[in-house]
Amino acid sequence: SQQGEEDPQALSIQEGENATMNCSYKTSINNLQWYRQNSGRGLVHLILIRSNEREKHSGRLRVTLDTSKKSSSLLITASRAADTASYFCATDADDAGNMLTFGGGTRLMVKP
Amino acid sequence: NAGVTQTPKFQVLKTGQSMTLQCAQDMNHEYMSWYRQDPGMGLRLIHYSVGAGITDQGEVPNGYNVSRSTTEDFPLRLLSAAPSQTSVYFCASAPGSGGETQYFGPGTRLLVL
């Protein structure tokens, strides 16, 4: 079963626009992470937000976490063609021991 | 540092054959894990290890064995491959627990005929 579910499943935007991806999860968590995967490659960690944090920034990335709604969002500002990739949220659930559970991902295409 | 390395990059097996997917990391990480990724889906945890000599099952462990004799290496064994094991396999490591940031290898693409 998947703890995190991303929405939308696919997103297509023009270069320079902002991209917003959402993640919902089911149980209480210690932290939530976002990863990027370029086609055919391994995942790369983008940002980690802990359960007691509400917002975090890293360069053009902004992540929010609402534990009352069990949801998170990833905003990429001023998108570039190089941002084209799949984006996954992953949760470290309280009751999951040493396991990180991934959602199904959002496929982002940024058109030049 | 090479980070997390995986071999082979691509493998074709016939049903019933066995093979070992290799994973190594040079970051002295305690935690290592194996995931599989099926087309259009997220990653599912197969097995993980919190240190040398310690392994545990993840979400989809059936058909796979692991061992962790050293901190650096975490091989994944398929004893009798089945077409349902056709997937892309990723190894990952983390400095401490599995709930922290994980560092991924480039993946092994496996096709079972």
Side-chain angles (χ1 to χ4, degrees), chain A residues 55-86:
Chain A
E55 189 170 311
K56 209 160 181 182
H57 296 256
S58 176
R60 294 184 295 112
L61 306 181
R62 173 179 169 251
V63 168
T64 61
L65 179 64
D66 187 333
T67 53
S68 67
K69 294 181 180 177
K70 291 186 171 59
S71 68
S72 172
S73 68
L74 170 67
L75 169 66
I76 304 174
T77 60
S79 64
R80 305 166 181 167
D83 293 328
T84 293
S86 290

Side-chain angles (χ1 to χ4, degrees), chain A residues 1-2 31 33 35 37 40-45 47-48 50 88 92 96-105 107, chain B residues 31 35 37 40-45 48 50 57-59 90 96-107 109:
Chain A
S1 62
Q2 289 185 326
N31 69 59
Q33 304 175 36
Y35 288 80
Q37 183 181 37
R41 310 286 288 272
L43 277 70
V44 174
H45 180 258
I47 199 162
L48 181 155
R50 300 199 183 277
F88 295 90
D92 171 28
N98 264 299
M99 292 193 277
L100 204 57
T101 307
F102 286 81
R107 293 185 304 281
Chain B
Y31 182 92
Y35 296 87
Q37 184 178 33
M41 295 182 66
L43 277 68
R44 291 184 292 168
L45 182 64
Y48 66 95
V50 298
Q57 295 181 349
E59 183 185 356
F90 291 100
S97 75
E100 296 297 321
T101 298
Q102 296 198 16
Y103 297 81
F104 283 82
R109 191 173 297 271

Side-chain angles (χ1 to χ4, degrees), chain B residues 36-80:
Chain B
R36 60 177 288 172
Q37 184 178 33
D38 298 311
M41 295 182 66
L43 277 68
R44 291 184 292 168
L45 182 64
I46 304 171
H47 285 285
Y48 66 95
S49 168
V50 298
I54 306 168
T55 63
D56 208 342
Q57 295 181 349
E59 183 185 356
V60 288
N62 292 342
Y64 308 94
N65 280 350
V66 292
S67 60
R68 183 99 180 267
S69 56
T70 67
T71 299
E72 294 78 19
D73 300 298
F74 191 43
L76 177 72
R77 296 183 186 85
L78 284 71
L79 297 179
S80 179

